[in-house]
Amino acid sequence: HKSQQYLLSKSWEPENRNPVHGGERVQEQAPMTQEGEEGTKSLITGSEESADILMTQLCPLRLEEVVTKNALHDGLSEHRTAQATSEENSSEVCGTRQDVGEKEDKVQPALEMVALNDCNMEVVRDVSRHGQKTNSLHSQKLMVVKQIVKRIKSLPQDSLDSRSSAVRRQGMLLITDYSKVKPPLEGKEKLDVVIVCVASIFSLPSIEALQRQEGHKVNVKDLYSQTVDALEVMLRALLSEKPNPAELQSFLDHLAPWMTSEKAHERARAVSTSVCLLQAAAERPKFCMSHEFPRLGLLIGRLALRVGDPEKEIGRQAMEGLYFLYSLVWCQKEPERKMGSVTSVLHQMPKEILGIYEPTRTCQNISEIVKRFGQFLSPDQMADLLLTAVESLKEANESTIEASKTILNVILEKYKQKIEMEVPKIVDRIHSQLRAIHHSHARQVVMMALCLLAHAFMEEVSTALLECPLPLDSDAAGMWRTLARTEAICHSHRLLDVLLKELQERPSTSEDKAFIIPLAAASALCEVLSVSICAQTVARFYPRLLMALLVQVHYAIGLSLPDSGVSRKELIPACCVVKTVKTLLLKMGCHYEFTSVEKEGGWELLTSSEEHHRGVGLLARAMVHYSCRERWRILYLLVPFLERGDKQHKLTAMAFFVELLHMPQAKRLPEKYSVIRLLKGLTDPDPVIRALCVKGLITMADWPGKEIKFLVPAMINSLCEVDGRLVVEALADVKKILRGLDGASYVGCITSPLRLLFDDKCKNALDECSRFLQWRLPKQVGNRKAWHNHQEDVDEICQYLVKTHQENVQRFLFQSQCYLNSTQPSLRRAAAMFIGFLVMRMDNMMRMKDLDILSNALGGLIHDPEASVCIFAAQAHERVLAVYWKLKYGLVEQRKVNSDSAETHKSPPNPPATPSTSSRLFNALSLWKLAAKH
């Protein structure tokens, strides 16, 4: 045909060789007229007359290919006659159109093409009339191209007949003609042309299936070949508008989805068309190579994977495409060859370098391809090649899996240094692709690649994997377990080094991050601990991991993660870290410790902001009680921990350290790391730290060579304004200090802060305390009657105390003196009554100096604002004076009292008015009872 002769003229391909079919000679066509030949040359040279010649000569020639010559001749002749005479005689036009209508069944495709031709003629008339060639012609060009694309898109994609084949072919050939009109198609218009035309042909069933549908009516193979030829000619023409690597890559990208199709005929079509475009680029004289391929690794990967295709013809064609691609890349890397076609020497060179396609040795072919191309690839291109191989593993066939495995092995063994900077991107893509890879062998290949990558870049891989969102999905968890096995096999600890480093950092919830690295490290460690062969490596890191996790629990309390998904709402950070703590204990064989903490509710304490230190202490006590073999290593680790970090860090370390002081090995600690360290903590602004330090110092009271009793005043002062429960916990082992002390002043110092616990109004406080301390109170002491209305009962209580507790009555007297300055009138009144009756009953045990002190104290209450206090203070004052005069005039025999002991029973300073609760009385009074025995 004349149009085919135009498209395959000598100016396009030398020696009339078809670029689509490997250079086979084209069948000789009928010679063109002289006038048409000149027009063709004008189009090819790109002269200014090309657009007009295109519209007036080539478009009518396209119509000759639609149907058989006779049918087309009849239909078109009548149509052209009607068009030529339309302006002269309307009746003749109607008659002509009626005749055409009678032959509509034969020439309907031709008439569709005539409509397109009419559009072209309108373009010519418009250009001639207005002289605006560029804008008007381009506008009409876009309109016609859109019409063609719309028509092709509407064609059925499950069958192929003469009519649909003609519409596709003629539409694409018209677009080919329009590619000569400047400016070229851009952006969405060109994208639509490529996508629609490719999909319209590639999505057709196989030729065999099409032939079965049509029977013997038409030769489907010829129709399909003609249609594919038109597609490839159109793509080559569009590529010639911008002959550069970026444009070529764009075209090939649109063919990529078809190259991975499950249907062999679709893969074959995509590979064949890709080879056609690569050949056109390689053999085009003016293909610009000054710019690199944007993603060369993708192109190599796609074709290399198809070399391993189970269909041998597809593998052979893919190898042919790689020859052309290698020629382009080789020319690009040569400084003196930035533009030009592939010569015969360059065409033969890739075959010698890459080797000949061998269907039985495709893995060797692929390996050689990656090695030879690898020297030209940049790091990002090499990463693209690797990721293309990973992505292809979604295809569930063994040939593709083996091809991918070969590519990954070559890259990670020979070119791993090139991808060092691309590791984060690679790990992220591997994680995202895993959810779509279901074939077990394919997943094994991915994990093998991850192991090889981690073996070379463990820190980079693990750091990148920590970026995965929380909570970890099954794919991320599997990747962590794979890394753990890799490390265990290699007897390496790089993975735990990375996780420990991140666990020692404070979490951050910045808005630009959808995850928190320390929490991710805790989750990752939980997965690592689930790998049984990691036990030995974990044991080396156990003390540091345990303390880092406990501190992370403290950090995570009350922490809220950015809400980026439904699953994020289900994640409680503190519980997530506690889960890892549990796993670590079980991994190290601490089953008794785990059970003890579980039974005492220790895990809940750990996740409470106010109770965290108690949960830590409970775990430490359990480890000491059950003689955990790692407790001494933890003790020596905590020594420097006490000086580091922020508030949460120090508090967690101190809570654990204080409990470990009960270990026998703790006595070997130097004084500067034990006594002096805790003494320094007595001035810490955190009351919990101060209480823990007091508790630790009391624990060391019976250590040889430790004079803790001299630190009692400083310890007591540190408990000022400390919560009552903390005070009770700090003084739980106070008997160690009281044992062996001669002076009762220490007892007074210790009981002074405890007295603050009794400043609240609790009606049943005494009964509750007596039950808790298992006291059997006398009936007189347990009297519930109001003292101010039943003074005789107060007298009986004092008489009983003097008779049965002579060794403590002095203490009772001076302790009650503190309540004379209480802010509560009822306490001042009761204290005055108690002092008056107690002095009267112990008159022979009093000293003049003590009576003077009591007299002055009661005298101050005589002018109290509360009238009842004044009355009872005056009565008590009279009783004290009566005893005073008896002693002065020798009316009673004074009992000898230890002057030193009496001197030390001075009244302690007035306690501050501190709010307290009756719930503290239980714990406090047990210590008071113990202190009273000494």
Side-chain angles (χ1 to χ4, degrees), residues 517-590:
I517 299 299
L519 292 182
S523 299
L525 179 60
C526 192
E527 298 299 331
V528 171
L529 293 173
S530 66
V531 179
S532 58
I533 60 176
C534 295
Q536 185 175 359
T537 306
V538 172
R540 296 174 55 189
F541 285 78
Y542 175 60
R544 286 182 288 170
L545 287 174
L546 179 61
M547 293 313 304
L549 286 170
L550 291 176
V551 174
Q552 279 300 325
V553 174
H554 205 170
Y555 284 145
I557 295 173
L559 192 64
S560 59
L561 300 180
D563 186 13
S564 61
V566 178
S567 61
R568 187 65 52 82
K569 297 179 181 178
E570 301 173 357
L571 177 66
I572 302 175
C575 295
C576 174
V577 185
V578 168
K579 177 184 176 182
T580 307
V581 174
K582 295 178 180 179
T583 307
L584 180 61
L585 289 174
L586 295 176
K587 185 72 174 181
M588 296 305 300
C590 300

Side-chain angles (χ1 to χ4, degrees), residues 192 289 460 526 842:
D192 289 343
M289 295 298 296
E460 291 80 0
C526 192
M842 54 182 295

Side-chain angles (χ1 to χ4, degrees), residues 691-692 694-695 698 719 725-734:
L692 289 173
V694 171
K695 184 176 182 179
I698 292 175
L719 295 178
R725 185 178 178 186
L726 289 174
V727 173
V728 170
E729 292 171 346
L731 300 177
D733 291 332
V734 71

